[in-house]
Amino acid sequence: MTSLDLFADPVVLSAALVDIESPSHHEEAIADAIEAALRGLEYAQVQRFGNTVVARTNFGLDSRVVLAGHIDTVPLADNTPHRLATSPSGETILHGCGSVDMKSGLACYLHAFATLAQPGKAAHDLTLIAYEGEEVAQEFNGLYHLERDHPELLQGDIALLGEPSGAIIEAGCQGTIRVFVDAHGTRAHSARSWLGHNAAHDLAGVLTRIAAYEPRTVLIDDCEYREGLNVVGLEGFVATNTIPDHARLIVNFRYAPDRSVEDAKAHLEETLALEEGLELIYDDVAPGALPGLGDPVAAGLVKAVGGNFRAKFGWTDVARFSSLGVPAVNFGPGDPGFAHKKDEQCPVDEIRQVAAQLLDYLSAESE
């Protein structure tokens, strides 16, 4: 089993995590290494659920900060073990599968937890969650399992998720709804179209309304969230000489976190205003997460990163914390645009920056 030094330079720790290959459904080795390293900390209480590892301090402090990061990656693409390279601008870059999504962020969190898991070191009690199955369906997601079976372990005054955010706080996240709008007709030869009913044509009205939709922009805790309603797929082909008897629009609504799921559904249905005969099918629904930057515990984090924050566009696991009433943000090194790519990479300066800012924020000395 690989031995991890949680007190090492976070760049060295990031590289060590990259070298433990852990595509989804194959996280046992990295979970073993993380569990063993955490169990070596005198004051950490460690639990394991499948390949999800949870460590907590319980010093009786007035607040608790949750640090969470997933341990799985997308499938390998001949991009392990890690390598260090110099960019054209002279930056040192860590390359390798998971380097940005999100083993560097996880390394920063593990390093901060280990450094501060001693009496008098931290300003807050800490929870560290290293979880499996984020890159695949929800049923395999370790954080989902904790939310369902052990929600008390997710409780805190604020939660930080180590998703790559360019070393800037990305607060909260959008909610998302994906629906199918189905039309049903009668198939016929296109030379005798009057003998059929064209299902695709029945979608013209709703397609026009979606194209004309004016999404709103909303400011929450000084974070600007932009909504969007878009057709992301069209289906309905039979043959080039055939009237289609079935047609489908795939529609995605990204909504600001001030809307509840129920409010978002109601707004979507009102906007679509489906004509009689069209069928609405919900395929995927996920709530948004409020940024919670007005909370005093969150304010300390904003200060530690120099006031650099923005809204998170897209959905992340921060929503699981928000659903439990815990403010949550994304905060990690690296450009998310490199996630899932063969040349996945993360600047080492950002790894060290995030690690230092975490220690500054969480340390009792910063109070």
Side-chain angles (χ1 to χ4, degrees):
M1 182 178 66
T2 302
S3 178
L4 296 175
D5 181 1
L6 303 185
F7 299 95
D9 179 340
V11 175
V12 174
L13 180 56
S14 299
L17 291 173
V18 169
D19 290 348
I20 306 175
E21 297 178 352
S22 57
S24 302
H25 307 305
H26 301 278
E27 300 101 321
E28 184 175 1
I30 195 169
D32 287 346
I34 290 172
E35 179 186 10
L38 289 170
R39 289 196 182 277
L41 302 176
E42 180 179 359
Y43 296 99
Q45 299 178 0
V46 181
Q47 296 172 273
R48 180 163 172 172
F49 307 89
N51 288 324
T52 295
V53 183
V54 181
R56 291 162 53 89
T57 65
N58 289 289
F59 297 123
L61 300 174
D62 292 335
S63 54
R64 177 174 293 277
V65 175
V66 182
L67 307 172
H70 64 83
I71 61 176
D72 64 320
T73 70
V74 295
L76 306 177
D78 294 323
N79 51 356
T80 58
H82 81 280
R83 64 183 179 88
L84 293 172
T86 303
S87 73
S89 63
E91 287 185 293
T92 302
I93 308 295
L94 173 67
H95 291 258
C97 188
S99 57
V100 76
D101 186 18
M102 52 171 284
K103 291 184 176 181
S104 292
L106 180 61
C108 293
Y109 286 15
L110 286 166
H111 178 76
F113 182 88
T115 302
L116 299 175
Q118 302 176 55
K121 290 287 189 178
H124 320 273
D125 269 314
L126 302 175
T127 299
L128 186 285
I129 303 174
Y131 64 99
E132 63 184 322
E134 190 270 349
E135 299 289 4
V136 285
Q138 174 174 271
E139 65 182 292
F140 304 110
N141 186 302
L143 203 60
Y144 162 70
H145 293 157
L146 290 181
E147 178 191 14
R148 182 191 63 193
D149 301 330
H150 304 281
E152 71 281 0
L153 296 179
L154 273 60
Q155 287 297 328
D157 293 271
I158 188 172
L160 281 60
L161 196 67
E163 293 285 353
S165 64
I168 294 173
I169 295 171
E170 289 191 332
C173 71
Q174 295 168 306
T176 181
I177 297 177
R178 185 172 60 249
V179 297
F180 303 143
V181 180
D182 282 9
H184 304 278
T186 302
R187 191 178 298 192
H189 196 293
S190 59
R192 295 175 291 279
S193 59
W194 61 89
L195 298 178
H197 178 84
N198 196 315
H201 292 179
D202 288 349
L203 296 173
V206 66
L207 184 59
T208 299
R209 288 188 288 277
I210 294 172
Y213 180 76
E214 295 185 5
R216 70 177 185 141
T217 298
V218 58
L219 198 66
I220 308 172
D221 285 347
D222 290 328
C223 293
E224 183 178 87
Y225 292 89
R226 299 182 63 181
E227 296 187 324
L229 178 65
N230 290 281
V231 173
V232 294
L234 302 94
E235 301 172 357
F237 178 76
V238 178
T240 56
N241 62 353
T242 305
I243 301 301
D245 57 350
H246 175 262
R248 165 175 283 183
L249 295 179
I250 306 172
V251 181
N252 186 211
F253 180 36
R254 298 285 178 153
Y255 59 93
D258 62 333
R259 295 189 195 268
S260 67
V261 169
E262 293 73 21
D263 291 341
K265 282 184 172 182
H267 177 72
L268 175 62
E269 292 179 16
E270 180 182 6
T271 301
L272 296 180
L274 299 187
E275 290 86 357
E276 185 177 355
L278 296 182
E279 182 182 9
L280 182 66
I281 302 169
Y282 281 91
D283 179 56
D284 182 64
V285 179
L290 289 165
L293 294 183
D295 186 278
V297 178
L301 177 62
V302 174
K303 179 181 177 181
V305 301
N308 295 315
F309 64 88
R310 62 192 175 204
K312 173 66 179 179
F313 294 108
W315 189 92
T316 74
D317 275 326
V318 295
R320 302 192 190 282
F321 292 99
S322 185
S323 69
L324 298 172
V326 179
V329 303
N330 303 277
F331 181 54
D335 179 352
F338 283 106
H340 300 188
K341 297 180 71 174
K342 185 173 183 177
D343 64 338
E344 188 173 349
Q345 57 187 263
C346 187
V348 300
D349 285 348
E350 282 194 17
I351 298 172
R352 293 194 175 108
Q353 176 186 337
V354 168
Q357 289 171 331
L358 274 174
L359 288 173
D360 181 49
Y361 166 53
L362 299 171
S363 172
E365 297 177 0
S366 66
E367 292 295 285

